[in-house]
Amino acid sequence: MSSLSSLTLTQMKAGLERGDFTSRDLVQAALDEVARLDPSLHAFLHVDGDRALAQAAKADQLPITNHPLHGLPIAVKDVLTVETMPCTAGSRILEGFVPPYTATSVKKLQQAGAIVIGKTNTDEFAMGSSTENSAYGRTMNPWDTARVPGGSSGGSAAAVAARLVPAALGTDTGGSVRQPASFCGITGLKTTYGRVSRYGLIAFGSSLDTVGVLAQTAEDAALILSVMAGRDPLDATSADDAVVGRVAQRIETNGDLRGLRVGVPKEYFIGGIQPEVQEKTRQAIEQMKSLGAEIVEVSLPHTEYALPVYYILAPAEASANLARFDGVRYGPRSDANAMWDVFFKTRGEKFGEEVTRRIMIGTYALSAGYYDAYYGQAQKVRTLIARDFEAAFASVDVIAAPTTPSTAFVAGAHADDPLAMYLEDVFTLPANLAGIPGISFPVGFDSQGLPIGMQLLGPRFREDAILRAAHAYQQATDWHTKSPKI
Ligand code: GLN
């Protein structure tokens, strides 16, 4: 592993400011690591080394002042648009599509000086939990390449875990930042719905989609979020920092957790979970207690409905969002005589199996006669799930729970069983339904040497609370410094 590319974002920033190395050195180190390791990981779908090096050379000529991410290399999940780079969303239906504009989240990072070296692999249209649903081949988990990195932001997670880049953007609609962070032994921040603009994010479930960060530490995630957050006139659901509270560039901390009330929901510690996951999560909660936190048992009684509710709402929204891919406006077009046949043939040939399944479920749930029974009912239960959290946050500041029921599974393990794959999301979906932020970070390893992650959830727009708690934990422990030997 190149020592430069294994630094955290914060360490890279400090080194650049001291003049220990240049941005060109950092970008070159990242590209060298991609060249060396990505053939066995397949974290990237596209890398633009020349452009990144040219941007770094330019950055090295400029003063660093006022650019919080000056000259720092990052990667972006391939569902966020970056001008000049192809954007496929892991789908054949967007093969060769080069978007004419850059997503606001990415643009803000670039304006702050960050250099995007490439686009990372994803489940097709972010539908999946293993990155096996990418039309361009699966991504390998750097801890064990026979296993999946999680998904759908599996490319971003693998790239950060293998220390190809210090940070990468992901998206979380039902767990796609936290679950791969957990499987890859890194830190993953899911933002509050509305915290970061969705402009330029290829829509999956518009009421659930959020942009998030994969990084080595909570400290680095905070730095990226502080730059990305805020109101965007191009996304009507984006919130104004001045109204909902600004995200600080640095986490305010005195190293302990005194005064923090941590809720432990009994519904998340149940049978069927890998025992080591429960055990390590409980140990991490104990550690938080020894740092001064007060541990309180809470109840989120509607947790068991999150999975069925999500798997009605997300496909319903997806079926509407994906209607735009018709072979006319974007990407490749299948040949047929009649106009309708062009649509049907293109969609039939270019969408993968999971995407097709979601479109069918979603279309059914929204169809006349079934709408009230499925979509309408799911919306009501969604409100109950959000209220569970509101009630819990009346007495605690954050909620601690396992991120996933198990550690990374072997590729192909759920290939013939979509329901088993959906069950991977059981602990992550509720936060998306409620629109609240969450952070997953490593808290140990299982007996096979695979990383275990735990998540902290916070009230809406209280990223500061979960970042501060995760940061204090990381200052007292060293799980986040462990990297795979590849
Ligand atoms: N695994 C979930 C799904 O397949 C969540 C995906 C996501 O968050 N993008 O829908």
Side-chain angles (χ1 to χ4, degrees):
M1 179 196 305
S2 138
S3 57
L4 256 197
S5 85
S6 66
L7 297 177
T8 68
L9 200 68
T10 305
Q11 289 166 339
M12 286 187 185
K13 181 174 155 74
L16 271 181
E17 282 164 8
R18 281 195 304 268
D20 294 353
F21 39 74
T22 63
S23 171
R24 238 191 108 86
D25 295 335
L26 289 175
V27 169
Q28 190 61 58
L31 294 173
D32 289 348
E33 285 302 276
V34 171
R36 190 169 75 87
L37 294 174
D38 208 46
S40 47
L41 294 176
H42 193 43
F44 280 88
L45 291 178
H46 176 80
V47 178
D48 192 345
D50 291 342
R51 192 180 292 266
L53 284 169
Q55 287 171 356
K58 214 166 132 198
D60 286 331
Q61 305 298 317
L62 295 169
I64 296 182
T65 29
N66 287 333
H67 286 104
L69 300 174
H70 184 94
L72 300 172
I74 58 162
V76 172
K77 182 181 182 181
D78 203 27
V79 292
L80 289 158
T81 61
V82 182
E83 222 176 317
T84 75
M85 291 189 183
C87 191
T88 66
S91 182
R92 290 279 169 217
I93 210 161
L94 280 175
E95 195 164 10
F97 170 65
V98 181
Y101 62 94
T102 298
T104 301
S105 51
V106 179
K107 191 163 230 161
K108 284 187 165 184
L109 300 185
Q110 288 175 325
Q111 283 166 348
I115 296 171
V116 178
I117 70 157
K119 306 292 293 290
T120 55
N121 201 7
T122 168
D123 286 298
E124 186 174 359
F125 288 105
M127 296 174 191
S129 307
S130 66
T131 319
E132 293 170 292
N133 292 341
S134 168
Y136 302 96
R138 74 177 187 96
T139 295
M140 275 48 88
N141 188 317
W143 292 90
D144 174 357
T145 52
R147 292 174 189 269
V148 303
S152 60
S153 312
S156 286
V160 172
R163 308 296 192 244
L164 308 182
V165 282
L169 292 190
T171 59
D172 194 313
T173 302
S176 280
V177 162
R178 288 162 290 155
Q179 187 254 15
S182 168
F183 277 15
C184 289
I186 59 168
T187 303
L189 174 70
K190 177 219 175 281
T191 54
T192 306
Y193 183 80
R195 174 63 91 179
V196 178
S197 169
R198 288 181 293 114
Y199 181 71
L201 161 59
I202 296 177
F204 165 8
S206 301
S207 76
L208 302 155
D209 292 341
T210 57
V211 178
V213 189
L214 295 121
Q216 288 181 43
T217 63
E219 190 178 32
D220 287 359
L223 175 60
I224 298 259
L225 178 62
S226 69
V227 173
M228 240 179 5
R231 170 93 187 126
D232 176 8
L234 298 170
D235 173 3
T237 63
S238 64
D240 191 337
D241 277 0
V243 177
V244 298
R246 216 167 272 287
V247 183
Q249 207 169 301
R250 267 169 217 245
I251 298 170
E252 298 287 339
T253 169
N254 36 18
D256 66 39
L257 290 175
R258 267 178 293 166
L260 186 80
R261 295 164 305 171
V262 179
V264 180
K266 55 174 185 269
E267 292 82 3
Y268 284 62
F269 293 83
I270 44 172
I273 307 174
Q274 188 178 331
E276 294 156 306
V277 171
Q278 290 225 23
E279 188 190 314
K280 297 292 171 188
T281 304
R282 291 224 183 261
Q283 279 172 15
I285 292 169
E286 276 307 306
Q287 175 94 30
M288 294 180 75
K289 190 173 170 190
S290 70
L291 290 168
E294 183 195 337
I295 312 300
V296 184
E297 184 172 299
V298 294
S299 175
L300 299 166
H302 296 93
T303 298
E304 63 176 304
Y305 303 112
L307 194 83
V309 164
Y310 173 88
Y311 277 98
I312 289 173
L313 296 181
E317 294 183 13
S319 71
N321 278 324
L322 267 51
R324 74 193 66 176
F325 301 106
D326 53 11
V328 176
R329 283 171 285 189
Y330 316 90
R333 177 181 314 163
S334 301
D335 219 21
N337 288 330
M339 181 185 77
W340 288 108
D341 291 339
V342 172
F343 298 166
F344 293 147
K345 205 161 169 227
T346 304
R347 290 168 66 85
E349 286 174 359
K350 303 296 182 188
F351 281 138
E353 205 176 82
E354 182 60 29
V355 172
T356 305
R357 181 180 298 122
R358 305 272 179 122
I359 292 173
M360 290 169 71
I361 295 173
T363 306
Y364 180 80
L366 290 175
S367 56
Y370 296 101
Y371 185 97
D372 290 338
Y374 293 108
Y375 189 78
Q377 190 66 11
Q379 286 289 26
K380 289 179 197 159
V381 182
R382 178 183 190 169
T383 303
L384 297 177
I385 290 165
R387 281 191 195 148
D388 279 359
F389 282 106
E390 274 167 36
F393 286 129
S395 56
V396 296
D397 303 300
V398 300
I399 289 173
T403 308
T404 57
S406 72
T407 53
F409 51 89
V410 172
H414 299 331
D416 303 320
D417 189 354
L419 274 182
M421 189 72 91
Y422 298 171
L423 276 167
E424 291 293 328
D425 309 325
V426 63
F427 296 146
T428 49
L429 304 171
N432 299 78
L433 293 168
I436 60 174
I439 189 167
S440 176
F441 50 94
V443 295
F445 293 89
D446 71 4
S447 56
Q448 302 192 74
L450 298 168
I452 293 171
M454 167 180 124
Q455 61 178 338
L456 290 176
L457 306 175
R460 282 166 53 78
F461 297 107
R462 292 307 306 276
E463 281 90 347
D464 61 324
I466 55 174
L467 284 165
R468 203 170 65 81
H471 180 57
Y473 177 83
Q474 291 184 330
Q475 283 182 307
T477 55
D478 65 356
W479 300 115
H480 62 287
T481 66
K482 311 272 185 237
S483 60
K485 289 176 193 31
I486 33 165

